[in-house]
Amino acid sequence: MRTPFLVDIEITTLCNLRCKHCYNHSGEKGMNMDLELVKNLMLKLKKLNICIFDIIGGEPFLYPYIFEMLEFAKRIDLNTMVNTNGTLITKEIIKKLKEANPFVKVGVSLDGSDPEINDLIRGNGNYKKTIDGINRLIENSFDVVLLFVVNKLNWKDFEDYINLAKKLGVNKIYVDRFIPVGRGKINEEKLDMNVKEWKTVLRFINEKINHYSKEIDFIVEDSISGKECSAGKNQISILIDGNVVPCGHFRYNKEFYLGNIFEEEIEKILLRIEENKFINYSPPECFICEKNCKGGCKFYSFLFWNGLNKPDPVICNYTVSPLKICL
């Protein structure tokens, strides 16, 4: 049985923001995952020796049992990261977080180096709240990762964003590519680009990553770096309803569901994934190609071509040398 490097778990769909690029419709319908079920899953994943247990939402700090969950992760020594928009990180939250799990990594979503860019994507007034939250986390010695989703509105800002991270005292930046799904699909024209534009953007982003790689630890998604898609291989996502998907972008496509943790054990699902034809599939033309991408982002291929027989056109037109993807 192949154990994924990273497991995302969507513990809530509650959210105080309505970000334009959200691959869910977070905040529009509030649901929470049962705490005891989550703890049981955490124990199993610990035994499977996963590298990172990644708590996502929604906004995890709206989950009523977030601190109990983080305390349990500390108790069983499960390497855990929580992804937040940062706007709720008050002094009171910091105190509770330190008591529950001072070792947790905190990913903070920030999509611009200034309010004009960030708030255009994440909503007015949220830049300042997020920066305040980041500062509180840094002041209290939490391991912070900035989360940046490259899109039409913010890609030119990336170098200024890197310099902001250094100014804040953050030495890790996660870089992902906008994929039009969920609320992001509604805002596709504002955020997405054509293949030619994306090629220029990826060249720019990767040049900056390479230039600053001695100062910043970049965690780069395959959809940016041009490496083979890790969906279902090195990572899986568990949705609020228990369904397991190769990555969160597949949430609305039932034909790619891999199983449901409410109905069967995670070990059985992982065994099935190993034999899944889709996970190991590459388009026929990729077998005679010397590039290392093996078809690029599987979901974008499906989205663009309405099937999997052709590669991700963005990555197919731009492939770079492998970059670091591990936290």
Side-chain angles (χ1 to χ4, degrees):
M1 178 174 61
R2 182 171 56 202
T3 302
F5 172 84
L6 178 146
V7 175
D8 291 329
I9 182 164
E10 185 181 64
I11 58 169
T12 184
T13 59
L14 292 169
C15 192
N16 57 317
L17 303 189
R18 300 293 185 273
C19 301
K20 287 183 172 66
H21 59 4
C22 182
Y23 67 179
N24 192 357
H25 289 275
S26 292
E28 295 174 22
K29 184 180 180 182
M31 296 174 63
N32 292 313
M33 196 173 279
D34 179 75
L35 177 62
E36 292 307 312
L37 185 146
V38 173
K39 288 165 71 174
N40 185 46
L41 177 68
M42 292 166 74
L43 282 170
K44 292 175 181 177
L45 294 175
K46 174 63 180 177
K47 290 179 181 177
L48 291 170
N49 293 315
I50 66 159
C51 186
I52 300 173
F53 181 68
D54 193 19
I55 302 170
I56 62 173
E59 170 49 53
F61 285 103
L62 289 175
Y63 181 62
Y65 314 110
I66 185 61
F67 299 109
E68 291 95 325
M69 186 178 174
L70 292 174
E71 192 279 331
F72 186 73
K74 180 182 69 173
R75 196 189 319 163
I76 65 172
D77 193 28
L78 180 63
N79 187 24
T80 301
M81 179 169 174
V82 57
N83 290 354
T84 174
N85 60 46
T87 63
L88 303 177
I89 306 297
T90 60
K91 291 179 181 179
E92 182 182 359
I93 292 294
I94 288 288
K95 182 180 178 182
K96 291 181 178 180
L97 195 55
K98 288 178 76 172
E99 291 172 353
N101 191 336
F103 310 110
V104 67
K105 293 181 177 68
V106 185
V108 183
S109 295
L110 184 71
D111 287 303
S113 67
D114 59 40
E116 183 179 358
I117 297 171
N118 180 79
D119 291 0
L120 189 61
I121 299 165
R122 308 190 68 85
N124 291 335
N126 289 312
Y127 176 84
K128 184 181 184 305
K129 294 176 184 177
T130 301
I131 294 296
D132 288 346
I134 293 168
N135 283 328
R136 291 189 183 105
L137 288 163
I138 294 295
E139 287 166 5
N140 286 274
S141 302
F142 282 98
D143 187 359
V144 175
V145 184
L146 292 188
L147 312 176
F148 185 82
V149 179
V150 180
N151 61 69
K152 186 191 293 186
L153 298 177
N154 68 0
W155 69 271
K156 293 179 182 178
D157 183 53
F158 189 55
E159 187 165 22
D160 288 341
Y161 185 93
I162 293 169
N163 287 320
L164 172 65
K166 293 195 292 181
K167 182 179 177 181
L168 291 168
V170 177
N171 62 6
K172 294 188 180 76
I173 299 176
Y174 166 85
V175 189
D176 198 3
R177 185 175 114 207
F178 169 72
I179 305 291
V181 65
R183 193 178 296 123
K185 183 66 177 176
I186 298 170
N187 294 294
E188 183 175 8
E189 289 187 12
K190 298 175 184 177
L191 301 172
D192 203 7
M193 292 171 274
N194 62 42
V195 172
K196 185 177 179 181
E197 290 170 329
W198 269 116
K199 184 175 181 178
T200 299
V201 170
L202 293 189
R203 182 184 296 118
F204 174 84
I205 296 294
N206 281 294
E207 283 176 356
K208 300 306 176 188
I209 288 171
N210 287 323
H211 180 76
Y212 289 97
S213 61
K214 292 182 180 179
E215 303 172 70
I216 296 288
D217 189 3
F218 291 98
I219 302 100
V220 186
E221 277 291 355
D222 319 313
S223 58
I224 294 287
S225 71
K227 292 190 71 175
E228 181 182 1
C229 182
S230 61
K233 291 188 173 183
N234 296 326
Q235 68 175 62
I236 57 170
S237 290
I238 301 172
L239 307 180
I240 190 72
D241 58 5
N243 282 309
V244 179
V245 288
C247 83
H249 293 115
F250 286 98
R251 64 188 312 112
Y252 299 112
N253 302 95
K254 293 184 178 180
E255 61 267 42
F256 298 108
Y257 286 7
L258 302 167
N260 190 297
I261 61 165
F262 297 164
E263 299 170 2
E264 56 187 330
E265 299 297 326
I266 187 66
E267 295 89 346
K268 288 185 179 180
I269 296 172
L270 292 177
L271 280 170
R272 189 182 308 121
I273 290 174
E274 199 165 352
E275 300 172 357
N276 188 285
K277 292 181 180 180
F278 156 75
I279 300 300
N280 299 296
Y281 178 81
S282 292
E285 62 200 81
C286 297
F287 290 103
I288 56 171
C289 178
E290 295 180 355
K291 295 179 181 179
N292 194 39
C293 65
K294 297 185 179 179
C297 173
K298 282 185 166 61
F299 183 77
Y300 198 79
S301 300
F302 175 76
L303 194 67
F304 193 90
W305 300 111
N306 196 30
L308 295 170
N309 288 326
K310 290 183 176 291
D312 168 5
V314 173
I315 290 300
C316 192
N317 280 274
Y318 179 81
T319 305
V320 297
S321 59
L323 295 166
K324 185 175 183 182
I325 59 167
C326 184
L327 284 168

